[in-house]
Amino acid sequence: MNLLGSYIPSASLIHRLDPSFKLLSFFLLFASFIILSLSLTGFFVSLIVLVILFRTGRIPMRPVFHTIWKFRGFLAAIFLMNAFFQPSEKAYFSFLFITFSRYGVLMGIRMVSSVALLTSLSSLLTATTTPVSITRGLRTLFHPLSFLRIPVDEAASIVSMSLCLIPILARESEDIVLSARARGLDVEKRKLRERIRALIPVVIPLFVQSFRAGDEIAEAMEARGYDGASRERIAIHFGAKEILSLLISISILTASIMLKGVFS
């Protein structure tokens, strides 16, 4: 199961939050996790907060780990780029533009942990919020920017459609990989250069399918007379649970800023 971009219906507290307050709370949590991931202790604190959020939202964490594991090659590339290309005065090894140091290794670990935490938090957001609700929340939060002639409605619609396409493209990629394996293609038991070459028959059809899906959505929207403007009124519904979620997010962000020096 690919949890990224997939909505899981439930009656949990996080599901019932107003989308505007939910998005604002998650944005504050994103900032908190970025700050806390700069240290090992902060990473474990973020992980504890993440587990509590997943339990509150009644969302299983195993699919999230499975999704992150699929991107292990990307995470390994992030780690290697930081480990071997971070300038440092105390380098273990240095040759031309390549510098391997303790500072680079630590930066690589921090970057990988940040990406993993933010990916997990994004999965929780999309699993507890429908794309339509995310669109409404973004329109409400960024509505003041419309007075500056910024196309808020169009931007919110683009984000909503992108979230809808994530699980579709994930399923398409799995089907393409399975069909390629049925023809004898195996990208797991190869050397790095051979694995990159073997991925070409997988990546190209996926790009073609994504562009085709985008064209179909555009034609369907034009046929229905969509002009980018939303006729829905801006409305915010908040109660005790929305205020509590916002206060908790602000408290976590404040604590992460105050404890940054302690964790470093």
Side-chain angles (χ1 to χ4, degrees):
M1 177 183 179
N2 188 0
L3 192 61
L4 189 61
S6 301
Y7 174 71
I8 301 178
S10 179
S12 69
L13 178 63
I14 299 180
H15 282 80
R16 292 184 282 109
L17 288 174
D18 180 81
S20 303
F21 279 86
K22 187 190 300 187
L23 286 173
L24 185 57
S25 300
F26 269 85
F27 289 156
L28 295 175
L29 289 175
F30 281 134
S32 303
F33 281 12
I34 291 174
I35 296 174
L36 290 174
S37 62
L38 296 178
S39 66
L40 183 61
T41 307
F43 171 77
F44 284 110
V45 172
S46 302
L47 191 59
I48 293 173
V49 174
L50 193 65
V51 171
I52 294 174
L53 290 174
F54 269 87
R55 290 294 182 91
T56 305
R58 302 175 186 175
I59 303 298
M61 295 196 67
R62 181 175 296 180
V64 179
F65 295 144
H66 181 67
T67 302
I68 294 176
W69 178 249
K70 287 184 177 180
F71 293 96
R72 59 188 181 274
F74 174 70
L75 296 177
I78 293 177
F79 173 78
L80 293 176
M81 288 178 63
N82 284 273
F84 287 95
F85 297 100
Q86 284 286 348
S88 177
E89 297 180 356
K90 300 180 180 179
Y92 299 135
F93 172 79
S94 180
F95 179 73
L96 296 179
F97 55 88
I98 299 177
T99 303
F100 181 73
S101 62
R102 180 177 179 272
Y103 174 75
V105 173
L106 292 177
M107 285 298 299
I109 295 175
R110 291 173 179 176
M111 290 297 297
V112 170
S113 61
S114 298
V115 172
L117 288 173
L118 296 181
T119 302
S120 302
L121 194 60
S122 302
S123 300
L124 179 62
L125 175 61
T126 55
T128 56
T129 315
T130 62
V132 175
S133 297
I134 292 178
T135 304
R136 292 174 180 172
L138 290 175
R139 286 185 59 246
T140 303
L141 289 178
F142 299 125
H143 181 68
L145 298 177
S146 61
F147 296 103
L148 300 177
R149 299 185 180 276
I150 296 178
V152 176
D153 294 339
E154 290 85 345
S157 299
I158 291 173
V159 172
S160 176
M161 288 185 291
S162 301
L163 293 175
C164 292
L165 285 175
I166 289 176
I168 296 175
L169 293 178
R171 289 194 295 267
E172 289 289 339
S173 63
E174 292 178 356
D175 294 339
I176 293 173
V177 171
L178 290 176
S179 62
R181 287 179 176 175
R183 296 192 300 267
L185 178 65
D186 188 6
V187 298
E188 297 294 335
K189 299 179 179 179
R190 294 172 178 260
K191 297 181 180 179
L192 180 60
R193 183 180 300 178
E194 296 177 352
R195 187 179 302 179
I196 294 175
R197 292 178 180 176
L199 285 175
I200 295 178
V202 177
V203 174
I204 294 179
L206 186 60
F207 270 100
V208 173
Q209 183 63 26
S210 62
F211 285 121
R212 185 180 302 169
D215 290 337
E216 292 176 354
I217 293 175
E219 292 176 357
M221 294 174 67
E222 290 179 357
R224 289 168 173 80
Y226 178 76
D227 57 358
S230 176
R231 276 75 178 177
E232 187 178 2
R233 294 182 60 184
I234 300 296
I236 301 178
H237 305 283
F238 65 93
K241 59 181 182 299
E242 282 79 15
I243 297 176
L244 180 62
S245 66
L246 188 59
L247 290 177
I248 292 175
S249 302
I250 294 175
S251 301
I252 294 175
L253 178 59
T254 304
S256 63
I257 295 174
M258 294 176 62
L259 298 174
K260 178 182 177 182
V262 177
F263 288 162
S264 299

